[in-house]
């Protein structure tokens, strides 16, 4: 936690997103990560890099939204390939979507 606080301090007002790669953690570990990210002062908690074994899930987005402080935003990223998937993530509590695959669909 001290490390994240130091990183946040070094951001000097810039946005800090903490990627948790949720697919690698148990339910209890995800909840603990939410506490750490909330206390650290980070601006976002992000579900995944998109390069791990699993991407964003609706269940993880709901869990993160439920357990982070209200001032921490949730970014769903990894495996979101359709507008419908993106909409579902937003409905589950995501504040931001990371979905490079959607750029091609928008053209």
């Amino acid at each position: 936690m001290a490390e994240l606080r130091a990183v946040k301090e070094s951001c000097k007002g810039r946005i800090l997103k903490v990627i948790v790669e949720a697919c690698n953690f148990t339910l209890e570990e995800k909840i603990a990560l939410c506490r750490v990210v909330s206390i650290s002062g980070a601006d976002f908690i992000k579900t995944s890099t998109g390069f791990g074994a699993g991407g964003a899930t609706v269940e993880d987005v709901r869990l993160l939204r439920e357990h982070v402080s209200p001032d921490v935003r949730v970014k769903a990223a990894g495996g979101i390939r359709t507008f419908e998937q993106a909409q579902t993530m937003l409905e589950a509590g995501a504040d931001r979507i990371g979905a490079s695959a959607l750029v091609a669909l928008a053209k």
Side-chain angles (χ1 to χ4, degrees), residues 1-7:
M1 185 169 6
E3 294 89 354
L4 279 179
R5 283 185 182 160
V7 171

Side-chain angles (χ1 to χ4, degrees), residues 47 55-65 76 84-94:
T47 58
T57 67
V58 171
E59 296 79 18
D60 281 337
V61 169
R62 282 191 188 119
L63 180 79
L64 298 180
R65 175 76 283 144
E84 292 78 15
Q85 288 174 317
Q87 184 62 43
T88 301
M89 295 296 176
L90 293 169
E91 290 167 1

Side-chain angles (χ1 to χ4, degrees), residues 4-101:
L4 279 179
R5 283 185 182 160
V7 171
K8 178 60 180 171
E9 247 180 66
S10 72
C11 287
K12 300 184 188 227
R14 294 181 187 91
I15 292 174
L16 173 60
K17 296 178 200 163
V18 177
I19 305 169
V20 296
E21 208 68 73
C23 64
N24 294 331
F25 297 99
T26 66
L27 175 71
E28 294 79 16
E29 290 169 331
K30 291 174 197 179
I31 292 169
L33 286 166
C34 287
R35 282 193 301 269
V36 169
V37 171
S38 295
I39 293 168
S40 75
D43 301 288
F44 279 89
I45 188 167
K46 185 175 169 183
T47 58
S48 76
T49 60
F51 298 105
T57 67
V58 171
E59 296 79 18
D60 281 337
V61 169
R62 282 191 188 119
L63 180 79
L64 298 180
R65 175 76 283 144
E66 182 180 341
H67 291 281
V68 292
S69 65
D71 54 323
V72 176
R73 293 174 280 176
V74 176
K75 182 173 180 179
I80 302 168
R81 307 231 181 287
T82 68
F83 288 114
E84 292 78 15
Q85 288 174 317
Q87 184 62 43
T88 301
M89 295 296 176
L90 293 169
E91 290 167 1
D95 298 289
R96 188 172 284 184
I97 302 293
S100 56

